[in-house]
Amino acid sequence: MVSPVGVPVATLKRLPLYLKLIKEASSRGLAWISSEDLAQKLGLGAIQVRKDLSGLGIVGSPRRGFPVEDASRAIAACLGGDNSSDLFLVGAGELGRAILADRGIGLQGFNLVAVFDRTPERYYGLGLDVMPLSKMGDLAARMGVRMAVLAAGHEWAQEGADAIVAAGLAAALDLSGLPAIFPPEIAVSRVNLGADLAYLSGLIGPGRAAAR
Amino acid sequence: MVSPVGVPVATLKRLPLYLKLIKEASSRGLAWISSEDLAQKLGLGAIQVRKDLSGLGIVGSPRRGFPVEDASRAIAACLGGDNSSDLFLVGAGELGRAILADRGIGLQGFNLVAVFDRTPERYYGLGLDVMPLSKMGDLAARMGVRMAVLAAGHEWAQEGADAIVAAGLAAALDLSGLPAIFPPEIAVSRVNLGADLAYLSGLIGPGRAAAR
DNA sequence: TAATGTGAATTGTTTCACAGCA
DNA sequence: TGCTGTGAAACAATTCACATTA
């Protein structure tokens, strides 16, 4: 599959990681960064990094690597700049509040501009302005928001998803673990720690405790 | 790439999702579930679901679908049964505690059996038994634990990763967002909400077109 | 000489087309 | 008829080999 701009999905998923490291290099005053360096830090192959960057039209220079500023600009442009960096949070429970507090969970430049919940009244007096799901469409239109993080509990995750759809948003990051069902015209990325763990458990197989 | 048991990685990543739905069906008293049904709930193609299940040796029956009990057993076996369901949590900060509280974040059957932190003394009196990183190896050996969730803040995520390696664990779920560097013999899965959001933002593009 | 750049081969994954079965 | 089962084809992603250049 190929994204609207012609970048392979697999590449697109890696771009944010490159961007992060490149910005870091930039902030340390470096002007160049090598594919080897990026690869090693991300546990990827250097050739793959080069292919990815070259696919964006970023050209490096032998013996030095890739120019940090150009690369940063090109990747940011491909990821939509900071165009879509405003987000809604749907779900103000345990998980939602951890995301808001954001100690290590790393929304990295994305901005939670409003919080919605099925039962907003439960959160009065917590210093949070939690709104009912029904207000989402209105606010999305007024603020130009196009993405949401769905952090609803299992009981109402689907209801939250439906609200996101009804609000006309274009993308959702689903942390509900259900997973919630979205219509195909909405871009969805799902995060499910339980599933990831199960996957890892399958990967390492039924051995006994690791040696060493 | 093919996992130890011969199941493609892409399939392996979907197995936990199937398992969840199948168990749910089972708990509702259903004896059969169709690939169409599973596919629709997960936003996948039915053919893909059939390929995945057939790859595990699960055989269905025309007009009825796949037998819920068999499928459940086969998938669980492939994912290591409940063999590897004990976990360490590395990092007792905001994020780590949200995971412990687990309201919606869904560890789904996995068990956090011990919590480690670089500064365990910060968590005295919170009703948590937080241990120093140096104790991890010992406990891993004694309890037969082989996996960890890394939920350390940026400041010491790499230190946490190193401790996981030193403890001889076989797999880690890295939520640090750095990402932390692990040696290749350790199975790592990375979750990075910021990266996922950036990816989505790239997918939906700067306009208003949606793509999947 | 230490890096990038890239066509081609390889490997992995998804989808198709259609056979078989209850 | 409505589903599974599967070899083959199509597609996608990764890796290789080697040319290239400052």
Side-chain angles (χ1 to χ4, degrees):
Chain A
M1 187 198 183
V2 153
S3 85
V5 224
V7 181
V9 212
T11 296
L12 200 48
K13 285 184 185 165
R14 286 186 293 263
L15 290 185
L17 306 174
Y18 298 149
L19 185 56
K20 179 147 192 266
L21 290 177
I22 287 171
K23 278 183 167 168
E24 202 174 292
S26 166
S27 78
R28 280 209 316 277
L30 299 175
W32 304 89
I33 191 165
S34 78
S35 58
E36 287 288 355
D37 196 354
L38 289 170
Q40 194 266 337
K41 290 203 170 94
L42 296 171
L44 305 170
I47 315 174
Q48 185 166 74
V49 174
R50 289 207 293 278
K51 263 266 155 71
D52 284 344
L53 296 187
S54 107
L56 290 199
I58 303 166
V59 300
S61 149
R63 290 218 47 140
R64 287 181 292 187
F66 291 87
V68 160
E69 292 312 325
D70 285 9
S72 173
R73 208 174 3 247
I75 297 175
C78 180
L79 292 174
D82 284 336
N83 237 346
S84 325
S85 67
D86 281 352
L87 299 176
F88 287 158
L89 173 64
V90 180
E94 203 58 79
L95 175 58
R97 295 203 307 277
I99 290 173
L100 275 174
D102 189 14
R103 199 69 209 103
I105 209 164
L107 294 185
Q108 295 174 193
F110 286 86
N111 229 354
L112 291 168
V113 296
V115 184
F116 299 85
D117 201 284
R118 187 175 58 163
T119 54
E121 63 277 8
R122 278 170 61 178
Y123 303 98
Y124 289 167
L126 282 177
L128 271 180
D129 188 15
V130 182
M131 283 173 284
L133 297 176
S134 55
K135 291 251 172 90
M136 209 189 304
D138 230 37
L139 238 80
R142 285 222 309 274
M143 307 178 78
V145 169
R146 301 174 61 218
M147 307 205 296
V149 176
L150 176 59
H154 306 88
E155 326 81 57
W156 61 282
Q158 188 59 52
E159 196 178 325
D162 295 343
I164 288 170
V165 176
L169 301 186
L173 179 57
D174 178 8
L175 309 184
S176 78
L178 269 186
I181 304 179
F182 288 86
E185 69 268 19
I186 293 193
V188 179
S189 179
R190 297 191 165 103
V191 171
N192 185 330
L193 300 192
D196 283 351
L197 288 170
Y199 157 70
L200 282 175
S201 162
L203 253 195
I204 64 181
R208 54 257 131 247
R212 189 175 6 180
Chain B
M1 187 191 184
V2 152
S3 85
V5 223
V7 181
V9 200
T11 297
L12 199 50
K13 286 184 186 166
R14 285 186 293 263
L15 290 186
L17 306 174
Y18 298 149
L19 185 56
K20 180 148 193 263
L21 290 177
I22 287 172
K23 277 183 168 168
E24 201 174 294
S26 166
S27 79
R28 280 209 315 278
L30 299 175
W32 304 88
I33 190 164
S34 78
S35 57
E36 288 289 354
D37 196 355
L38 289 170
Q40 194 265 339
K41 290 203 170 93
L42 296 171
L44 304 171
I47 315 173
Q48 186 165 71
V49 174
R50 289 206 294 276
K51 260 270 153 71
D52 284 342
L53 296 186
S54 107
L56 290 199
I58 303 166
V59 300
S61 148
R63 288 218 52 137
R64 287 180 293 186
F66 291 88
V68 159
E69 292 312 325
D70 285 9
S72 173
R73 209 175 0 249
I75 297 175
C78 180
L79 291 174
D82 284 335
N83 237 346
S84 326
S85 66
D86 280 352
L87 299 177
F88 287 158
L89 173 64
V90 180
E94 206 52 84
L95 175 57
R97 295 205 306 279
I99 291 172
L100 275 175
D102 188 12
R103 201 65 209 105
I105 208 162
L107 292 185
Q108 293 172 196
F110 286 86
N111 229 355
L112 291 169
V113 295
V115 184
F116 299 87
D117 201 284
R118 186 175 58 164
T119 55
E121 63 276 9
R122 278 169 61 178
Y123 304 97
Y124 289 167
L126 282 177
L128 272 179
D129 188 15
V130 181
M131 282 173 284
L133 297 176
S134 55
K135 292 249 172 88
M136 209 189 302
D138 229 37
L139 239 81
R142 284 222 308 273
M143 306 177 80
V145 168
R146 302 173 63 217
M147 309 206 294
V149 176
L150 176 59
H154 305 88
E155 327 81 58
W156 62 281
Q158 187 60 53
E159 195 177 328
D162 295 343
I164 288 170
V165 176
L169 301 186
L173 179 57
D174 178 8
L175 309 183
S176 78
L178 269 188
I181 303 179
F182 289 86
E185 69 268 20
I186 294 194
V188 179
S189 179
R190 297 191 165 102
V191 171
N192 184 331
L193 301 191
D196 283 351
L197 288 170
Y199 157 71
L200 282 175
S201 161
L203 253 195
I204 63 181
R208 139 176 97 284
R212 238 157 77 106

